[in-house]
Amino acid sequence: MKKITIMAFLICTVLIYYNAGAQEVNKNYDEKLAKELKADEYGMKKYVLVILKTGSAKDLPKTTLDSIFKGHMGNIGRLVNEGKLIVAGPLGKNDNAYRGIFIFDVESTDEAQKLVETDPVIISKVMTAEYYPWYGSAALKETVKIHSKIEKKSH
C-alpha cells in the first residue's frame, strides 16, 4: 500500500509540474517562423499520415517492378518539390503487410488520396494506402530543407 501511495504522489507531482510548465510562454518563441509553418499556439499542425500496405498485384516480373519503383521514387520527389510530401520512407518487415509511410502537409484525407493516386505503386496495385488525420509538430516541414544538406546520394 505504501508503494501505491508513493507512486500516486509521484504521478500527481509530475502532472502538476507538467501542467504548470505548459502555461508558460516559451522564451524561444519565433512568431514569424510559427506563422510561416502554420503552427498553432502549441507549435503543432494537422497533417495526413498515409500507411502504404502490400497490394493485390503479385508475381510481377522484376523489370516491371523496377520500373514501378523508379516511378514511385520520382513521384515522391515531385511531391516533395511541390511542398505536399514532407516525410516518406519504408518500414521494416512486420506482420501487418505495412510497407511504408507518407506524411502530407495537406488539410484533408481526400487531398492526400488524390496525391497518392498519382503514384505508380498505387496505380499498379503493388501497394494500397490507408489515410489518417495526424497532429504533429509544425517544424516537421523543416526536415525537407535539412535533408537536402545531409543527403550524400539522391535516389
Side-chain angles (χ1 to χ4, degrees):
M1 186 66 173
K2 188 174 182 179
K3 286 182 182 180
I4 293 173
T5 304
I6 291 170
M7 286 296 289
F9 174 77
L10 290 174
I11 290 170
C12 287
T13 302
V14 168
L15 290 174
I16 290 168
Y17 177 78
Y18 177 78
N19 287 332
Q23 302 305 317
E24 293 178 19
V25 176
N26 177 3
K27 293 176 181 110
N28 295 321
Y29 179 69
D30 182 335
E31 184 176 4
K32 182 180 177 224
L33 181 60
K35 284 182 180 178
E36 179 184 318
L37 296 175
K38 300 178 183 167
D40 65 15
E41 66 182 0
Y42 300 104
M44 308 283 277
K45 68 176 293 213
K46 294 177 186 175
Y47 298 98
V48 175
L49 168 68
V50 178
I51 299 178
L52 299 173
K53 296 177 69 172
T54 299
S56 60
K58 306 283 185 210
D59 301 321
L60 296 174
K62 183 181 179 334
T63 55
T64 302
L65 279 174
D66 289 347
S67 177
I68 289 168
F69 277 94
K70 182 177 181 180
H72 172 63
M73 297 307 295
N75 196 59
I76 287 171
R78 179 183 63 80
L79 293 170
V80 168
N81 290 337
E82 290 176 4
K84 299 291 186 185
L85 182 62
I86 55 173
V87 173
L91 295 173
K93 289 192 183 243
N94 59 78
D95 295 334
N96 297 313
Y98 293 164
R99 303 281 298 271
I101 66 163
F102 290 151
I103 298 178
F104 284 101
D105 186 12
V106 297
E107 290 293 318
S108 70
T109 55
D110 288 341
E111 189 176 354
Q113 186 172 0
K114 287 176 185 169
L115 296 170
V116 171
E117 287 173 351
T118 66
D119 196 301
V121 297
I122 299 298
I123 295 166
S124 66
K125 299 191 182 339
V126 168
M127 293 186 201
T128 62
E130 295 178 351
Y131 304 84
Y132 302 94
W134 184 66
Y135 183 65
S137 173
L140 192 58
K141 192 166 185 169
E142 293 295 284
T143 61
V144 173
K145 294 175 190 173
I146 295 167
H147 185 79
S148 68
K149 295 177 182 180
I150 62 172
E151 176 184 42
K152 189 172 183 178
K153 294 182 178 182
S154 63
H155 295 282

